Amino acid sequence: MRFQRVSKAVAVGAALALALSACAPGGGDTGADASKDANTGGGNGSAEAANSGKADLGDITTADDTINVTVGAPEFISYNGFTPNTYSTYNSAIVDRMFAGFSYFGTDGTLYPNEALGSYEKVSDDPLTIKYTIAEDAKWSDGTPITVADSVFAWAVQNLNLNEGSKEKPLFNSVSVDLGDTVPEGPQGDWDGKEFTVEFAEPDPDWALQTWMLHPAHVVAEESGMSTEELVSAIRAGESDKLKKAADFWNEGWMTDPGKLPDEKISPVSGPYKLGSWKAGESVTLVANENYYGPAPATKELTFRFLEDASMVQALQNKDVDVINPQPTVDTLAQLENLGDAVAIQKGDTLTWEHLDFNFAEGNAMTNLELRKAFAMCVPRQQIVDNLVKPLNPDAIVMNAREVFPFQDNYQEVVDASYDGRYDEVDIEGAKKILEEQDAVGTEVRIGYSAPNERRANEVSAIKSSCDEAGFKIVDSGSADFFSPNGAQDRGDYEVALFAWAGSGQITSGQNIYATGKPQNFGQYSNPEVDAAWETLASSLDPAVHAEQTKKIEKLLWDDLFGIPVFAHPGLSASGSDIQNVRHTATQDQIVWNAEQWVRAE
C-alpha cells in the first residue's frame, strides 16, 4: 500500500504497495506482500536540496553500464501497476522508475516537487483549488507531449462515478477509486494544453499527494478506437458506455504472460527508464529513456533480479547483484557485516509495519469477535519482537497503533487514548476459556503470507506454539502466490493474513484500508463509525481534527479487533562499495527510490 501513492499504502508481503497509515502491504520483508499508498504519484524529481536525499549530480552523461538490484523474489506483474492485483512494492519498485509524478518523497518522507515534470501551487483555500503546470518539454518516450489529457485520464481511472450503473462495478479496476468524489469536475484546462486546475469538493489534507499523472491517454484512446480529444470529451461528459473499451484496455491490455513484455508501441513511459527485456522467473531489465526530458539517468541499464532473501547476501558477495533489499534478520545483518569494506550497509527506521489481519468474509470463523479476542490473547507479540526485531533495532517495541509509528512524537498519546494494553501479555488461560465457552476448541486458523519468508515463518511458528496451547489449530499457509491474482487472499481462503503496509506519510492513507468497500480493505471489514471518522478526518485541513479522529479510529479498530499490529520494520539494505548514491529512505519506495542516480565508481 506507495504508502498511498494513490494515497494509499503498499502491501509488503502481498504483491501490492501504504502511507503513514496503511494502504499497501509492505515490509522490510518485502516479500510479495508489500502494498503502497495509492495517491502519491511517484516521481523522479530533479536533484534538490540536501534534505531531499537526492544527489546533486549536475549535468551528467549516462554511463554505458548495468546495475543489478534485487528487492525480492516475486515476479514482475505488469506495466500497469495501479490495479489492486498489481499495486505492490515489488511491482512498483520497477514501474516507478518508468513513470513521473508531480512530487516525490525524500529520505525522511518529506514531499518535494518533481520540477522535471512541472509545478503546482495552491491558488485558493475556499474552495481548495490547485493549479498545475506541465513542463513544456515533458513528453512520453514515443515523443507525444504530456498534456492535460493525461491528467484527465488519470482522474477517470480513479473515478468510481464512471461505472456501469453501480459503484460496485467500477469501469476501471483501480487501487484508488475516490478521486471522482474528491474532485467532482476533474482537471480543468485545454485537453492538449499544459496547464490545468483542480477544485476539491472538501478540504483535502493530502491534496499534494493526489495522482494526476498515470498512463498515456493517447495510447488508451487509440487502442479503444478513439482520438485523444474524443476520450477526454467522453470522460468529462461521464459517458461510461463510450469508455468501456478504454477501461477494458486499461484493465487488461498491458497484462502479458511472464517473460513477454507489452509491445513498446503501447507502453511508452514518462520517466527516466523504459522496459527493455524480461526473463520469466529471473529478471526484468530497464533501459534509459533516450527521450526523457529530466536529468539523464546515471546508468544506462537497471536489471531487477528476482531473488529470495536467503540468497541475496551471497549474490552481492559474488557480484551477481550490486544492490540488495533483503528481509532484515539477525543472520542477514551478520552476514553483511562479515563482508567488511566490500559493501556499504544502509539501515534506519521505516514507515512499514507488520500486522495480522482477520478475514471478515461471511462464514469465516474470524467473524466471531470472541474468537478474535482469544487469538489476540495468545499471539506472543513481545516474544516476536524480542527474538526477531530487537537484534536489528535494540529500541524496537511492540507496536500498538496503525496510523502512527513508535518513533513519531505523537505515538504514545495516540496509544494512551485508544488501547488499554489488554493484549500486551500472552494469556493462554484466558484464550482457552473463550474457546471453551464458544465451543470452538480446535478451531483451525490458517495464517497466510508470501513465502518463502524466513522471518514470517518464524513468526507463524511462535504463534502456533502459543495458540495451539490455547486450543486453536494454527496452520502455516504461507505460499508464493498468497497475494497474487486468484491467490488465497484473493479467494478469501485464510483466517489471518500476515503482511506489512509500507507507507509514506499520507494523512488519509488508512481510509483505503479500513473503510467499507475500499480497494485495500482485503478482509471485507465494515464499521459505519470508522467510515464516518475517516470522512471527518479526510475532509479537514485542521491538524487538531486529524489528531482527534485518529485516536477515535484507532480505538474503534482495537475494540473491533480489525487486526493486530506487531512491530515497525527496521530498514536494511546493502550495496557494493563501488556503487555510488545508494541511500536509505523510510518510505515505501524503499532502497530503489533514487535508482536513476546510481552509478558505478570509475
Side-chain angles (χ1 to χ4, degrees):
M1 283 328 263
R2 305 164 231 246
F3 300 74
Q4 291 205 263
R5 198 214 294 300
V6 188
S7 229
K8 312 298 177 242
V10 175
V12 179
L16 317 169
L18 151 141
L20 244 194
S21 74
C23 269
D29 311 2
T30 60
D33 57 313
S35 246
K36 323 187 289 173
D37 292 332
N39 291 324
T40 67
N44 309 286
S46 58
E48 308 220 358
N51 288 342
S52 74
K54 293 240 177 179
D56 185 357
L57 303 183
D59 295 327
I60 65 170
T61 299
T62 301
D64 188 7
D65 191 13
T66 300
I67 289 181
N68 295 281
V69 57
T70 180
V71 296
E75 181 72 77
F76 177 59
I77 307 173
S78 176
Y79 163 94
N80 180 0
F82 214 67
T83 74
N85 288 330
T86 62
Y87 191 65
S88 77
T89 51
Y90 305 105
N91 200 68
S92 294
I94 298 170
V95 299
D96 283 0
R97 316 280 70 77
M98 303 191 294
F99 295 101
F102 282 100
S103 60
Y104 70 94
F105 286 103
T107 55
D108 60 352
T110 300
L111 196 68
Y112 294 90
N114 176 10
E115 295 174 353
L117 178 63
S119 61
Y120 52 87
E121 62 175 324
K122 183 168 63 173
V123 296
S124 172
D125 283 316
D126 189 15
L128 178 61
T129 306
I130 315 300
K131 178 182 177 181
Y132 287 83
T133 301
I134 302 168
E136 277 300 319
D137 59 349
K139 59 186 176 183
W140 294 95
S141 56
D142 62 4
T144 303
I146 296 174
T147 67
V148 174
D150 297 302
S151 294
V152 172
F153 182 66
W155 174 73
V157 164
Q158 302 170 78
N159 187 351
L160 197 57
N161 298 317
L162 295 173
N163 54 65
E164 302 175 76
S166 167
K167 287 194 174 185
E168 298 301 313
K169 296 179 65 177
L171 271 181
F172 295 93
N173 182 32
S174 170
V175 70
S176 177
V177 296
D178 55 5
L179 201 51
D181 291 329
T182 303
V183 181
E185 301 302 318
Q188 299 298 300
D190 294 338
W191 71 271
D192 57 352
K194 292 281 191 174
E195 293 184 352
F196 65 94
T197 59
V198 293
E199 182 179 302
F200 288 76
E202 301 287 345
D204 184 344
D206 288 315
W207 65 263
L209 296 178
Q210 291 293 352
T211 300
W212 296 111
M213 195 61 60
L214 281 173
H215 301 109
H218 66 285
V219 169
V220 176
E222 183 174 350
E223 293 300 310
S224 56
M226 308 168 75
S227 68
T228 304
E229 183 176 12
E230 288 172 335
L231 175 66
V232 171
S233 296
I235 291 170
R236 286 175 164 170
E239 297 174 322
S240 300
D241 55 331
K242 293 184 179 180
L243 298 172
K244 183 66 167 61
K245 287 185 178 179
D248 287 346
F249 174 77
W250 187 86
N251 293 339
E252 301 292 341
W254 287 302
M255 294 295 292
T256 57
D257 294 331
K260 182 180 179 180
L261 293 176
D263 192 299
E264 188 171 0
K265 181 175 180 290
I266 65 170
S267 55
V269 301
S270 57
Y273 286 99
K274 62 183 181 181
L275 289 166
S277 61
W278 180 5
K279 296 180 180 179
E282 294 184 20
S283 65
V284 161
T285 295
L286 303 182
V287 297
N289 170 13
E290 65 275 12
N291 288 325
Y292 185 51
Y293 45 88
T299 299
K300 183 177 181 179
E301 293 187 349
L302 285 177
T303 294
F304 287 80
R305 298 278 307 279
F306 310 139
L307 299 181
E308 296 179 5
D309 293 284
S311 65
M312 288 186 185
V313 175
Q314 187 65 55
L316 182 64
Q317 182 178 11
N318 294 344
K319 296 187 180 298
D320 294 328
V321 294
D322 301 296
V323 182
I324 64 173
N325 195 179
Q327 171 186 174
T329 67
V330 179
D331 289 343
T332 298
L333 178 58
Q335 291 170 25
L336 288 171
E337 291 175 338
N338 285 339
L339 298 182
D341 294 340
V343 302
I345 300 173
Q346 299 87 28
K347 294 191 295 182
D349 291 324
T350 73
L351 296 174
T352 297
W353 58 286
E354 195 86 344
H355 51 94
L356 295 149
D357 285 0
F358 294 110
N359 186 348
F360 290 83
E362 184 177 355
N364 193 283
M366 288 304 163
T367 57
N368 183 333
L369 175 59
E370 293 305 307
L371 294 191
R372 298 200 297 276
K373 289 179 178 178
F375 183 77
M377 287 178 179
C378 64
V379 172
R381 294 192 297 159
Q382 188 64 59
Q383 176 189 337
I384 289 171
V385 170
D386 288 346
N387 293 346
L388 303 179
V389 186
K390 277 197 172 184
L392 293 158
N393 176 11
D395 297 326
I397 62 173
V398 170
M399 189 164 167
N400 284 321
R402 302 157 183 83
E403 295 299 297
V404 292
F405 285 73
F407 53 83
Q408 293 179 316
D409 292 340
N410 61 332
Y411 172 77
Q412 196 57 50
E413 179 183 345
V414 171
V415 171
D416 289 345
S418 60
Y419 172 64
D420 62 7
R422 68 181 63 186
Y423 304 115
D424 282 356
E425 296 183 7
V426 170
D427 183 359
I428 297 296
E429 293 305 314
K432 185 180 298 185
K433 180 180 179 182
I434 290 176
L435 289 175
E436 292 172 349
E437 291 174 346
Q438 296 292 312
D439 192 23
V441 174
T443 295
E444 182 176 274
V445 177
R446 295 165 295 172
I447 302 179
Y449 61 95
S450 178
N453 187 305
E454 177 186 353
R455 185 165 70 191
R456 293 206 169 110
N458 288 335
E459 289 178 62
V460 174
S461 178
I463 294 170
K464 179 174 178 59
S465 178
S466 180
C467 291
D468 278 7
E469 185 180 347
F472 284 107
K473 181 181 179 182
I474 303 298
V475 177
D476 184 328
S477 292
S479 64
D481 64 348
F482 182 77
F483 292 100
S484 300
N486 299 314
Q489 187 196 46
D490 220 13
R491 301 191 307 268
D493 291 341
Y494 69 97
E495 278 68 52
V496 175
L498 172 61
F499 62 103
W501 285 119
S504 57
Q506 185 174 352
I507 295 170
T508 62
S509 169
Q511 186 173 25
N512 206 44
I513 296 172
Y514 306 113
T516 303
K518 293 295 185 178
Q520 290 177 303
N521 185 347
F522 304 129
Q524 301 181 41
Y525 170 77
S526 181
N527 182 329
E529 288 186 82
V530 172
D531 296 346
W534 273 117
E535 287 297 327
T536 299
L537 186 155
S539 60
S540 173
L541 298 178
D542 186 349
V545 173
H546 302 161
E548 176 187 8
Q549 296 305 314
T550 295
K551 294 173 184 176
K552 182 176 182 179
I553 291 166
E554 290 281 8
K555 187 176 189 309
L556 288 167
L557 293 176
W558 269 119
D559 290 347
D560 278 351
L561 272 180
F562 166 91
I564 308 169
V566 186
F567 57 82
H569 282 215
L572 177 64
S573 59
S575 52
S577 57
D578 59 336
I579 306 300
Q580 299 178 335
N581 302 322
V582 179
R583 290 179 171 82
H584 170 77
T585 179
T587 69
Q588 68 189 15
D589 292 323
Q590 301 185 40
I591 198 62
V592 297
W593 74 282
N594 71 331
E596 72 276 8
Q597 295 195 321
W598 295 351
V599 65
R600 197 180 308 276
E602 296 182 357

